[in-house]
Amino acid sequence: AYTHASHALKPYGLSMPISHDDLQSQYLDRIPSWLRCCLMLVGLLGGGIGGVRYVRGLLTMGRLKRSDPLEWLRRKRDFPSVNDLIQDEQIFRTAMENARVKEADQIEYLRLRRVKLDAAPPRGAAAAG
């Protein structure tokens, strides 16, 4: 990476403040080999753990999309609750477009939204009761 950066700067008349050989002899050769191995291992483990978490998140969202599409859309678009998402149809449609929901699925999502709105008590009824 260091040599790539050095070559990338050459057309602009710039250079790295220290040559690759100087960097190797002054800094990298002084680090014990066991420490380099430990740092590489930690880096690989950290990257592996991050990759596993990323894949688990994708799988979780995939399962959620199949089992509870409205909850999936809420999480995908960072809404505080499903009710906040479904209250306004224009906001709901925009959320679907931004989440890249397929047109065939949008019809199903709108049907689920209507069912959920019909099942919920009217806004004023909760405050009056």
Side-chain angles (χ1 to χ4, degrees), residues 2-36:
Y2 190 87
T3 55
H4 291 299
S6 180
H7 289 298
L9 291 173
K10 277 186 183 178
Y12 302 105
L14 301 171
S15 65
M16 298 297 276
I18 187 170
S19 72
H20 182 266
D21 294 334
D22 290 340
L23 178 70
Q24 183 74 32
S25 64
Q26 289 182 12
Y27 299 104
L28 298 179
D29 287 345
R30 293 182 183 178
I31 299 173
S33 60
W34 63 267
L35 182 57
R36 276 188 255 165

Tab-separated table of all heavy atoms in Angstrom, residues 2-36:
chain	number	residue	atom	x	y	z
A	2	TYR	N	1.984	1.174	0.725
A	2	TYR	CA	2.878	2.329	0.810
A	2	TYR	C	3.468	2.647	-0.554
A	2	TYR	O	3.517	3.810	-0.953
A	2	TYR	CB	3.989	2.056	1.831
A	2	TYR	CG	4.812	3.271	2.167
A	2	TYR	CD1	4.407	4.132	3.158
A	2	TYR	CD2	5.980	3.556	1.471
A	2	TYR	CE1	5.146	5.252	3.479
A	2	TYR	CE2	6.734	4.681	1.775
A	2	TYR	CZ	6.307	5.528	2.782
A	2	TYR	OH	7.037	6.644	3.079
A	3	THR	N	3.910	1.612	-1.281
A	3	THR	CA	4.510	1.853	-2.598
A	3	THR	C	3.461	2.330	-3.590
A	3	THR	O	3.767	3.148	-4.458
A	3	THR	CB	5.198	0.576	-3.131
A	3	THR	OG1	4.273	-0.483	-3.128
A	3	THR	CG2	6.395	0.206	-2.288
A	4	HIS	N	2.210	1.852	-3.466
A	4	HIS	CA	1.145	2.326	-4.350
A	4	HIS	C	0.889	3.812	-4.125
A	4	HIS	O	0.718	4.567	-5.079
A	4	HIS	CB	-0.145	1.540	-4.119
A	4	HIS	CG	-0.067	0.117	-4.566
A	4	HIS	ND1	0.173	-0.244	-5.861
A	4	HIS	CD2	-0.196	-1.039	-3.873
A	4	HIS	CE1	0.190	-1.558	-5.959
A	4	HIS	NE2	-0.022	-2.072	-4.754
A	5	ALA	N	0.882	4.226	-2.872
A	5	ALA	CA	0.679	5.640	-2.557
A	5	ALA	C	1.831	6.474	-3.106
A	5	ALA	O	1.623	7.562	-3.660
A	5	ALA	CB	0.553	5.835	-1.050
A	6	SER	N	3.038	5.964	-2.987
A	6	SER	CA	4.210	6.681	-3.484
A	6	SER	C	4.141	6.846	-4.998
A	6	SER	O	4.397	7.931	-5.526
A	6	SER	CB	5.483	5.931	-3.089
A	6	SER	OG	6.617	6.612	-3.558
A	7	HIS	N	3.758	5.782	-5.703
A	7	HIS	CA	3.640	5.855	-7.165
A	7	HIS	C	2.494	6.769	-7.582
A	7	HIS	O	2.583	7.439	-8.608
A	7	HIS	CB	3.444	4.463	-7.758
A	7	HIS	CG	4.669	3.606	-7.687
A	7	HIS	ND1	5.851	3.920	-8.312
A	7	HIS	CD2	4.900	2.440	-7.037
A	7	HIS	CE1	6.759	2.987	-8.073
A	7	HIS	NE2	6.203	2.073	-7.274
A	8	ALA	N	1.423	6.807	-6.814
A	8	ALA	CA	0.283	7.657	-7.142
A	8	ALA	C	0.622	9.132	-6.994
A	8	ALA	O	0.066	9.980	-7.696
A	8	ALA	CB	-0.914	7.302	-6.254
A	9	LEU	N	1.556	9.458	-6.108
A	9	LEU	CA	1.931	10.856	-5.887
A	9	LEU	C	2.940	11.378	-6.899
A	9	LEU	O	3.045	12.583	-7.113
A	9	LEU	CB	2.499	11.024	-4.473
A	9	LEU	CG	1.508	10.856	-3.334
A	9	LEU	CD1	2.236	10.868	-1.997
A	9	LEU	CD2	0.444	11.931	-3.372
A	10	LYS	N	3.690	10.490	-7.544
A	10	LYS	CA	4.751	10.897	-8.463
A	10	LYS	C	4.270	11.800	-9.597
A	10	LYS	O	4.924	12.799	-9.897
A	10	LYS	CB	5.475	9.676	-9.029
A	10	LYS	CG	6.538	9.160	-8.101
A	10	LYS	CD	7.334	8.061	-8.752
A	10	LYS	CE	8.341	7.527	-7.728
A	10	LYS	NZ	9.118	6.422	-8.267
A	11	PRO	N	3.148	11.514	-10.261
A	11	PRO	CA	2.719	12.399	-11.355
A	11	PRO	C	2.467	13.842	-10.912
A	11	PRO	O	2.509	14.764	-11.724
A	11	PRO	CB	1.422	11.763	-11.854
A	11	PRO	CG	1.447	10.355	-11.392
A	11	PRO	CD	2.285	10.338	-10.161
A	12	TYR	N	2.229	14.049	-9.635
A	12	TYR	CA	1.960	15.385	-9.117
A	12	TYR	C	3.222	16.051	-8.577
A	12	TYR	O	3.161	17.123	-7.978
A	12	TYR	CB	0.895	15.317	-8.018
A	12	TYR	CG	-0.392	14.701	-8.499
A	12	TYR	CD1	-0.749	13.410	-8.141
A	12	TYR	CD2	-1.248	15.419	-9.329
A	12	TYR	CE1	-1.920	12.843	-8.594
A	12	TYR	CE2	-2.423	14.856	-9.783
A	12	TYR	CZ	-2.753	13.569	-9.418
A	12	TYR	OH	-3.917	13.017	-9.875
A	13	GLY	N	4.355	15.398	-8.739
A	13	GLY	CA	5.612	15.940	-8.253
A	13	GLY	C	5.764	15.830	-6.743
A	13	GLY	O	6.540	16.563	-6.135
A	14	LEU	N	5.024	14.929	-6.128
A	14	LEU	CA	5.072	14.749	-4.682
A	14	LEU	C	5.703	13.404	-4.357
A	14	LEU	O	5.785	12.517	-5.204
A	14	LEU	CB	3.666	14.806	-4.089
A	14	LEU	CG	2.881	16.096	-4.327
A	14	LEU	CD1	1.443	15.922	-3.885
A	14	LEU	CD2	3.529	17.251	-3.602
A	15	SER	N	6.135	13.262	-3.139
A	15	SER	CA	6.671	11.974	-2.702
A	15	SER	C	6.352	11.769	-1.236
A	15	SER	O	6.050	12.712	-0.505
A	15	SER	CB	8.181	11.915	-2.922
A	15	SER	OG	8.822	12.865	-2.093
A	16	MET	N	6.422	10.528	-0.824
A	16	MET	CA	6.185	10.198	0.576
A	16	MET	C	7.365	10.732	1.394
A	16	MET	O	8.484	10.809	0.897
A	16	MET	CB	6.046	8.688	0.755
A	16	MET	CG	4.873	8.081	-0.010
A	16	MET	SD	3.291	8.683	0.526
A	16	MET	CE	3.012	7.623	1.907
A	17	PRO	N	7.133	11.085	2.668
A	17	PRO	CA	8.198	11.688	3.472
A	17	PRO	C	9.338	10.719	3.803
A	17	PRO	O	10.409	11.153	4.189
A	17	PRO	CB	7.487	12.135	4.749
A	17	PRO	CG	6.241	11.332	4.791
A	17	PRO	CD	5.872	11.027	3.372
A	18	ILE	N	9.124	9.439	3.623
A	18	ILE	CA	10.145	8.449	3.941
A	18	ILE	C	10.047	7.330	2.896
A	18	ILE	O	8.949	7.000	2.452
A	18	ILE	CB	9.951	7.901	5.382
A	18	ILE	CG1	11.100	6.999	5.789
A	18	ILE	CG2	8.648	7.200	5.527
A	18	ILE	CD1	11.069	6.629	7.277
A	19	SER	N	11.166	6.796	2.476
A	19	SER	CA	11.131	5.746	1.461
A	19	SER	C	10.659	4.432	2.093
A	19	SER	O	10.716	4.249	3.313
A	19	SER	CB	12.506	5.558	0.829
A	19	SER	OG	13.381	4.943	1.744
A	20	HIS	N	10.244	3.529	1.245
A	20	HIS	CA	9.765	2.238	1.719
A	20	HIS	C	10.868	1.480	2.456
A	20	HIS	O	10.638	0.876	3.499
A	20	HIS	CB	9.225	1.411	0.553
A	20	HIS	CG	8.676	0.090	0.973
A	20	HIS	ND1	9.421	-1.064	0.964
A	20	HIS	CD2	7.454	-0.258	1.441
A	20	HIS	CE1	8.694	-2.059	1.403
A	20	HIS	NE2	7.486	-1.607	1.682
A	21	ASP	N	12.103	1.529	1.910
A	21	ASP	CA	13.231	0.835	2.554
A	21	ASP	C	13.530	1.428	3.927
A	21	ASP	O	13.811	0.698	4.885
A	21	ASP	CB	14.476	0.891	1.671
A	21	ASP	CG	14.288	0.099	0.381
A	21	ASP	OD1	13.469	-0.843	0.395
A	21	ASP	OD2	14.946	0.434	-0.626
A	22	ASP	N	13.480	2.764	4.029
A	22	ASP	CA	13.717	3.405	5.325
A	22	ASP	C	12.615	3.036	6.324
A	22	ASP	O	12.887	2.786	7.495
A	22	ASP	CB	13.778	4.926	5.183
A	22	ASP	CG	15.019	5.396	4.448
A	22	ASP	OD1	15.995	4.609	4.383
A	22	ASP	OD2	15.009	6.525	3.942
A	23	LEU	N	11.406	3.011	5.857
A	23	LEU	CA	10.282	2.626	6.723
A	23	LEU	C	10.484	1.203	7.235
A	23	LEU	O	10.318	0.938	8.430
A	23	LEU	CB	8.965	2.730	5.951
A	23	LEU	CG	7.709	2.318	6.696
A	23	LEU	CD1	7.373	3.330	7.781
A	23	LEU	CD2	6.546	2.182	5.739
A	24	GLN	N	10.885	0.316	6.321
A	24	GLN	CA	11.104	-1.079	6.694
A	24	GLN	C	12.221	-1.199	7.724
A	24	GLN	O	12.079	-1.859	8.744
A	24	GLN	CB	11.461	-1.892	5.436
A	24	GLN	CG	11.648	-3.376	5.672
A	24	GLN	CD	10.333	-4.097	5.895
A	24	GLN	OE1	9.315	-3.719	5.337
A	24	GLN	NE2	10.352	-5.117	6.725
A	25	SER	N	13.340	-0.538	7.482
A	25	SER	CA	14.492	-0.704	8.372
A	25	SER	C	14.320	0.034	9.703
A	25	SER	O	14.751	-0.454	10.745
A	25	SER	CB	15.775	-0.245	7.677
A	25	SER	OG	15.710	1.144	7.407
A	26	GLN	N	13.695	1.203	9.694
A	26	GLN	CA	13.584	1.993	10.920
A	26	GLN	C	12.448	1.543	11.834
A	26	GLN	O	12.549	1.653	13.047
A	26	GLN	CB	13.392	3.473	10.585
A	26	GLN	CG	14.636	4.122	10.024
A	26	GLN	CD	14.404	5.597	9.760
A	26	GLN	OE1	13.412	6.174	10.195
A	26	GLN	NE2	15.326	6.217	9.036
A	27	TYR	N	11.359	1.074	11.255
A	27	TYR	CA	10.189	0.800	12.086
A	27	TYR	C	9.774	-0.670	12.069
A	27	TYR	O	9.662	-1.308	13.109
A	27	TYR	CB	9.007	1.676	11.659
A	27	TYR	CG	9.311	3.145	11.800
A	27	TYR	CD1	9.603	3.927	10.691
A	27	TYR	CD2	9.339	3.745	13.046
A	27	TYR	CE1	9.897	5.274	10.827
A	27	TYR	CE2	9.636	5.095	13.193
A	27	TYR	CZ	9.910	5.851	12.071
A	27	TYR	OH	10.206	7.175	12.206
A	28	LEU	N	9.522	-1.187	10.883
A	28	LEU	CA	8.947	-2.529	10.796
A	28	LEU	C	9.913	-3.615	11.251
A	28	LEU	O	9.496	-4.599	11.851
A	28	LEU	CB	8.466	-2.802	9.368
A	28	LEU	CG	7.359	-1.864	8.876
A	28	LEU	CD1	6.974	-2.198	7.444
A	28	LEU	CD2	6.145	-1.925	9.775
A	29	ASP	N	11.210	-3.466	10.976
A	29	ASP	CA	12.170	-4.487	11.395
A	29	ASP	C	12.361	-4.526	12.905
A	29	ASP	O	12.835	-5.518	13.444
A	29	ASP	CB	13.532	-4.269	10.714
A	29	ASP	CG	13.502	-4.653	9.247
A	29	ASP	OD1	12.541	-5.346	8.849
A	29	ASP	OD2	14.410	-4.259	8.498
A	30	ARG	N	11.997	-3.460	13.577
A	30	ARG	CA	12.157	-3.408	15.037
A	30	ARG	C	11.013	-4.098	15.777
A	30	ARG	O	11.122	-4.368	16.967
A	30	ARG	CB	12.260	-1.959	15.504
A	30	ARG	CG	13.533	-1.300	15.023
A	30	ARG	CD	13.627	0.097	15.549
A	30	ARG	NE	14.830	0.746	15.008
A	30	ARG	CZ	15.165	1.985	15.251
A	30	ARG	NH1	14.386	2.730	16.027
A	30	ARG	NH2	16.243	2.492	14.734
A	31	ILE	N	9.909	-4.326	15.095
A	31	ILE	CA	8.766	-4.980	15.728
A	31	ILE	C	9.045	-6.475	15.763
A	31	ILE	O	9.344	-7.081	14.737
A	31	ILE	CB	7.472	-4.701	14.939
A	31	ILE	CG1	7.185	-3.203	14.912
A	31	ILE	CG2	6.303	-5.456	15.561
A	31	ILE	CD1	6.022	-2.828	14.024
A	32	PRO	N	8.965	-7.089	16.929
A	32	PRO	CA	9.198	-8.537	17.002
A	32	PRO	C	8.208	-9.303	16.129
A	32	PRO	O	7.051	-8.899	15.973
A	32	PRO	CB	8.985	-8.875	18.477
A	32	PRO	CG	8.994	-7.578	19.199
A	32	PRO	CD	8.659	-6.509	18.230
A	33	SER	N	8.663	-10.398	15.576
A	33	SER	CA	7.809	-11.166	14.653
A	33	SER	C	6.565	-11.707	15.367
A	33	SER	O	5.490	-11.787	14.767
A	33	SER	CB	8.600	-12.298	14.010
A	33	SER	OG	9.084	-13.175	14.997
A	34	TRP	N	6.688	-12.071	16.656
A	34	TRP	CA	5.527	-12.587	17.366
A	34	TRP	C	4.460	-11.511	17.519
A	34	TRP	O	3.263	-11.787	17.463
A	34	TRP	CB	5.919	-13.159	18.729
A	34	TRP	CG	6.507	-12.149	19.679
A	34	TRP	CD1	7.818	-11.854	19.857
A	34	TRP	CD2	5.782	-11.295	20.567
A	34	TRP	NE1	7.968	-10.872	20.803
A	34	TRP	CE2	6.735	-10.506	21.259
A	34	TRP	CE3	4.435	-11.113	20.861
A	34	TRP	CZ2	6.375	-9.543	22.201
A	34	TRP	CZ3	4.076	-10.162	21.802
A	34	TRP	CH2	5.048	-9.389	22.460
A	35	LEU	N	4.890	-10.230	17.655
A	35	LEU	CA	3.928	-9.146	17.780
A	35	LEU	C	3.219	-8.909	16.443
A	35	LEU	O	2.011	-8.671	16.406
A	35	LEU	CB	4.621	-7.865	18.257
A	35	LEU	CG	3.738	-6.649	18.491
A	35	LEU	CD1	2.637	-6.967	19.502
A	35	LEU	CD2	4.574	-5.478	18.973
A	36	ARG	N	3.964	-8.995	15.359
A	36	ARG	CA	3.354	-8.857	14.035
A	36	ARG	C	2.316	-9.960	13.817
A	36	ARG	O	1.230	-9.703	13.302
A	36	ARG	CB	4.413	-8.921	12.939
A	36	ARG	CG	5.060	-7.575	12.701
A	36	ARG	CD	5.952	-7.626	11.508
A	36	ARG	NE	7.322	-7.651	12.043
A	36	ARG	CZ	8.383	-7.976	11.368
A	36	ARG	NH1	8.286	-8.337	10.119
A	36	ARG	NH2	9.564	-7.937	11.924
